[in-house]
Amino acid sequence: MEQLAERSSQGDRGSRDEWYTTASKASWSNFCELKKTFNSADIVAGNKVIFDVGGNKYRIVGLVAFRSKRIFVLFVGTHAQYDVIDVKDL
């Protein structure tokens, strides 16, 4: 998250901070509940969730453990950086 902050403009930092604050306070039991909070989120294999941040300028990929109410951040980067990774390999 700090690497993203270093590259981000003030507006982008606000988006990232808003995502972090919202996600930290969340207590989702399933993806449907998460989707109500982050309607642009997508789930892929193994409860990995792709979050669009900053108007889809940045991506955060997290492993969401619904039972323990935690998100393990696996990737933070620009949309262009996201395009060259394979989320299944994270």
Side-chain angles (χ1 to χ4, degrees):
M1 296 293 283
E2 287 115 19
Q3 291 173 350
L4 177 61
E6 291 171 7
R7 293 190 307 260
S8 301
S9 70
Q10 188 63 34
D12 293 335
R13 277 187 230 148
S15 298
R16 185 223 44 219
D17 291 347
E18 183 179 336
W19 177 89
Y20 180 80
T21 300
T22 301
S24 296
K25 293 178 180 178
S27 183
W28 307 299
S29 297
N30 55 55
F31 182 70
C32 289
E33 291 178 6
L34 182 151
K35 189 84 169 164
K36 289 178 185 175
T37 306
F38 294 108
N39 65 348
S40 64
D42 295 305
I43 194 165
V44 294
N47 282 348
K48 293 176 186 170
V49 177
I50 303 161
F51 298 92
D52 299 330
V53 179
N56 205 22
K57 191 172 181 180
Y58 299 98
R59 293 285 178 100
I60 297 173
V61 179
L63 177 62
V64 179
F66 292 107
R67 286 174 47 189
S68 63
K69 313 293 187 202
R70 294 177 184 247
I71 300 174
F72 300 93
V73 176
L74 304 173
F75 172 84
V76 177
T78 65
H79 196 149
Q81 291 169 324
Y82 168 82
D83 286 341
V84 298
I85 67 166
D86 187 347
V87 174
K88 290 181 254 174
D89 292 336
L90 295 176

